[in-house]
Amino acid sequence: MYQVKELSQWGGVSIRTLHHYDQIGLLKPDLIGENGYRYYGDQSLERLQQILFFKELDFPLREIQAMLDHPGFDRQKALRAQYELLQSKKNRLETIMETVKETLLSLETGQKMKIKEMFKGMDMQAIEAHKEKYAQEVEERWGHTPAYKQSQQKTAHYTAQDWERIQARTAAIYSQIVAGMGRGPADPEVQAAIADLRQSFCDYYYDCTPEIFKGLGEMYVADERFTAFYENIQTGLAAFLSQAIAHYCEHLPG
Amino acid sequence: MYQVKELSQWGGVSIRTLHHYDQIGLLKPDLIGENGYRYYGDQSLERLQQILFFKELDFPLREIQAMLDHPGFDRQKALRAQYELLQSKKNRLETIMETVKETLLSLETGQKMKIKEMFKGMDMQAIEAHKEKYAQEVEERWGHTPAYKQSQQKTAHYTAQDWERIQARTAAIYSQIVAGMGRGPADPEVQAAIADLRQSFCDYYYDCTPEIFKGLGEMYVADERFTAFYENIQTGLAAFLSQAIAHYCEHLPG
DNA sequence: ATAAACTATCACGTAAGGAGAGGGTCAAGC
DNA sequence: GCTTGACCCTCTCCTTACGTGATAGTTTAT
């Protein structure tokens, strides 16, 4: 277990930065002593490394958090993408260096430069596009749906405390569902919890229409990353959830 | 003359950014139409280029402004320094890329990395030191005087509006002095303006004692960079200022 | 036991713009 | 001469990723 100072020195960041990352939930200590001290383990080191790599590439912290917490985040894949992005950043730097050199030359020879040459390499669009590509790859097909956008808009203003409340509420619902797994997906209490779940989606993220909700339920078994996420909570939960949601959607009033 | 959109496209910055640069006095348009439109000339292009180069190296805008406005700023020298700094930034990127690669390798072989290796290249200290070196070089011999330090302390908290006020006041004083150039350095109105000038130095930068003020006046003709700066406002201004300040200092009460 | 070197939590401040409202201006085509 | 689309302006509030104290508890070293 390492303390803040060690981490901050290794990572070349300030202690305040680690406090900040803790506050927004980007990098929580593995353990908090009864004196309030933050203690980090080896996993946190890896996570910090990932954070710093992404930060080097100018990803906003919120996106970094979303990517690292995405069920099915793949560290190897991420590292490979990071390498590529660093490469293009390097290329951009080299272009700028050429521009500087050419400018020097034009000063010495007294030759006027073309305007476009003066700013070659300065626009970030190429890299930004590249970045977006990776970020979208992580989010795959959800990135362009209107529901996703709404979710982004809503969650943009959530504070750290909001997130804690949301996580607490969601966890409570899942534990309700897990508790009812023995009684089958049509069990009234299970169905009530499913209704709660949908309501919480509506409250916190986006209009979770019956159609969307149905699609979500199907995805829980069709998409291995979601499956992994829920199986991790409880074996069999992914399939159970999927069935319970299907049942819920079929028996909606109206 | 170019409009904001052209400039913004060439430089790969937003229009809002140009507005901002105008507001803080970093890049003022060469001409403002009576419709309020901003028009930039070729000199502004060069200045924008310099700004972007420095920004690429993470210099804060305030420092960029200070360097570009420093009497005796040398574009060639700046470009050479920028090239070097870009080089070290590139080296740092390459180190990070190696770290990414090694991390990948350690994942594949299952070998654990040493902590320091995990973060190799992430700290910016080396480059920051390099940057500081150049910034100090620009300020040359003023950098270590107590007056300079006081000035740094005072100006550190100035806002954009403060700077606008200061520039406006200073410009007004200089135009007073220029207007009085025909009447000689001892003219009462000129002397009043000189007193104002010294007062404004005291207010905004540092205790401008009579001795310092005298030295400053001499520098205006002795140091070519200052001379160039004032000659640029009005031919003959440097010498006139110098004489007027000398006269002022000799006739101080007490 | 006392100093030095850690740690913590507020609370406020900052830089460099982004976003958007609300509203003028200019050139082209009809 | 009028509209329309592409410009431009100012103004105000918002955001990100922390920096900067202030104040105070804790651990370790002498």
Side-chain angles (χ1 to χ4, degrees):
Chain A
M1 289 294 181
Y2 320 109
Q3 295 202 168
V4 277
K5 200 189 181 188
E6 306 175 81
L7 234 76
S8 89
Q9 284 175 340
W10 292 329
V13 296
S14 73
I15 292 178
R16 175 66 172 90
T17 298
L18 294 176
H19 286 177
H20 184 61
Y21 290 173
D22 182 6
Q23 209 182 341
I24 64 174
L26 177 57
L27 182 66
K28 293 253 178 214
D30 293 297
L31 188 138
I32 293 192
E34 46 187 73
N35 46 16
Y37 284 25
R38 294 171 175 82
Y39 297 101
Y40 299 85
D42 285 328
Q43 295 230 352
S44 295
L45 279 185
E46 288 181 12
R47 189 169 169 113
L48 178 58
Q49 194 203 29
Q50 277 299 309
I51 293 171
L52 294 181
F53 285 157
F54 278 126
K55 210 176 62 147
E56 184 64 36
L57 294 162
D58 305 304
F59 280 87
L61 297 186
R62 202 198 306 285
E63 268 183 52
I64 299 179
Q65 189 171 0
M67 293 188 300
L68 295 185
D69 289 341
H70 193 286
F73 167 74
D74 183 338
R75 188 155 167 238
Q76 284 205 25
K77 226 170 160 180
L79 283 165
R80 271 192 282 269
Q82 281 157 354
Y83 190 85
E84 265 188 54
L85 288 170
L86 285 168
Q87 183 67 259
S88 46
K89 198 176 176 181
K90 193 182 123 189
N91 291 341
R92 176 165 167 277
L93 263 186
E94 279 167 354
T95 309
I96 294 180
M97 288 175 70
E98 267 180 49
T99 306
V100 172
K101 254 196 174 163
E102 279 170 30
T103 308
L104 260 172
L105 215 76
S106 91
L107 267 185
E108 281 160 15
T109 66
Q111 269 207 336
K112 247 198 153 185
M113 286 177 85
K114 283 182 202 153
I115 292 178
K116 284 202 179 166
E117 281 176 0
M118 281 181 65
F119 298 101
K120 210 167 36 172
M122 297 309 291
D123 70 328
M124 311 255 295
Q125 305 225 339
I127 293 190
E128 286 302 316
H130 222 152
K131 271 171 55 183
E132 226 168 286
K133 201 177 133 199
Y134 174 70
Q136 283 197 357
E137 199 176 301
V138 166
E139 273 143 13
E140 243 131 321
R141 53 182 172 276
W142 295 278
H144 45 70
T145 66
Y148 177 80
K149 283 192 180 170
Q150 192 188 352
S151 162
Q152 285 291 76
Q153 293 233 323
K154 273 199 177 184
T155 57
H157 299 284
Y158 288 175
T159 70
Q161 278 136 6
D162 289 334
W163 283 115
E164 265 180 85
R165 277 194 303 101
I166 293 173
Q167 290 196 355
R169 179 169 162 190
T170 311
I173 296 177
Y174 284 135
S175 79
Q176 279 254 310
I177 296 176
V178 167
M181 278 176 74
R183 297 191 300 274
D187 175 75
E189 280 188 38
V190 169
Q191 285 297 307
I194 294 288
D196 273 1
L197 185 62
R198 180 180 158 211
Q199 188 54 49
S200 78
F201 283 167
C202 292
D203 291 349
Y204 299 136
Y205 304 109
Y206 53 88
D207 292 332
C208 189
T209 65
E211 291 73 38
I212 291 180
F213 198 41
K214 192 156 168 272
L216 212 57
E218 287 162 10
M219 203 139 60
Y220 287 173
V221 289
D223 189 302
E224 53 177 30
R225 294 161 307 179
F226 278 98
T227 310
F229 179 71
Y230 290 106
E231 289 300 296
N232 193 31
I233 298 180
Q234 175 75 40
T235 314
L237 179 57
F240 184 79
L241 255 182
S242 182
Q243 290 167 31
I245 292 177
H247 183 275
Y248 168 87
C249 290
E250 279 162 27
H251 294 78
L252 273 177
Chain B
M1 289 294 177
Y2 321 107
Q3 296 202 168
V4 277
K5 202 192 178 186
E6 306 175 81
L7 234 76
S8 87
Q9 284 175 341
W10 291 329
V13 296
S14 73
I15 293 178
R16 175 65 172 91
T17 298
L18 293 175
H19 287 177
H20 185 60
Y21 290 174
D22 182 6
Q23 208 182 341
I24 65 175
L26 177 57
L27 182 66
K28 294 253 180 215
D30 293 298
L31 189 139
I32 294 193
E34 45 187 73
N35 46 17
Y37 285 24
R38 294 170 174 82
Y39 297 101
Y40 300 86
D42 284 329
Q43 295 230 352
S44 295
L45 278 187
E46 287 181 12
R47 189 169 169 113
L48 178 58
Q49 195 203 28
Q50 278 297 310
I51 292 172
L52 294 181
F53 285 156
F54 278 127
K55 210 177 62 145
E56 184 64 36
L57 295 162
D58 304 305
F59 280 88
L61 297 186
R62 205 174 325 103
E63 267 182 54
I64 300 179
Q65 189 171 0
M67 294 188 299
L68 295 184
D69 288 342
H70 193 286
F73 167 76
D74 183 338
R75 188 152 167 242
Q76 285 204 27
K77 225 171 163 180
L79 284 165
R80 271 192 282 271
Q82 281 157 353
Y83 190 85
E84 264 187 54
L85 288 170
L86 285 167
Q87 183 67 259
S88 48
K89 198 175 175 181
K90 191 181 128 191
N91 291 342
R92 177 165 167 277
L93 262 187
E94 279 167 354
T95 309
I96 294 180
M97 288 175 70
E98 268 180 49
T99 306
V100 172
K101 253 196 176 164
E102 278 169 32
T103 308
L104 261 172
L105 215 75
S106 90
L107 267 184
E108 281 160 14
T109 65
Q111 267 206 337
K112 248 199 154 182
M113 286 177 86
K114 282 181 204 155
I115 292 177
K116 282 201 179 167
E117 282 177 0
M118 281 180 66
F119 297 100
K120 209 166 37 173
M122 298 308 292
D123 70 327
M124 312 255 293
Q125 305 225 336
I127 294 189
E128 286 302 315
H130 222 151
K131 272 171 53 182
E132 228 167 286
K133 200 178 134 199
Y134 173 71
Q136 284 195 357
E137 197 176 305
V138 165
E139 274 139 15
E140 242 134 322
R141 54 179 172 279
W142 295 277
H144 45 69
T145 67
Y148 177 80
K149 281 192 181 169
Q150 193 188 350
S151 162
Q152 284 292 74
Q153 293 234 322
K154 273 198 177 182
T155 58
H157 299 285
Y158 288 175
T159 70
Q161 277 135 5
D162 289 335
W163 284 115
E164 261 180 274
R165 278 194 303 102
I166 293 173
Q167 289 197 356
R169 181 169 163 190
T170 312
I173 295 177
Y174 284 135
S175 80
Q176 278 254 311
I177 296 176
V178 167
M181 278 175 73
R183 299 190 299 274
D187 176 76
E189 280 188 38
V190 169
Q191 285 297 307
I194 296 288
D196 272 2
L197 186 62
R198 177 180 159 212
Q199 188 55 51
S200 78
F201 283 167
C202 292
D203 291 349
Y204 300 137
Y205 304 110
Y206 53 86
D207 291 333
C208 189
T209 64
E211 291 73 37
I212 290 180
F213 198 41
K214 192 154 169 274
L216 212 55
E218 287 163 8
M219 202 139 59
Y220 287 174
V221 289
D223 189 304
E224 53 175 29
R225 295 163 306 181
F226 278 99
T227 311
F229 178 71
Y230 290 106
E231 289 302 296
N232 192 33
I233 297 181
Q234 175 76 39
T235 314
L237 180 57
F240 184 80
L241 253 182
S242 182
Q243 290 166 31
I245 291 177
H247 183 275
Y248 168 87
C249 289
E250 280 162 26
H251 295 76
L252 270 176

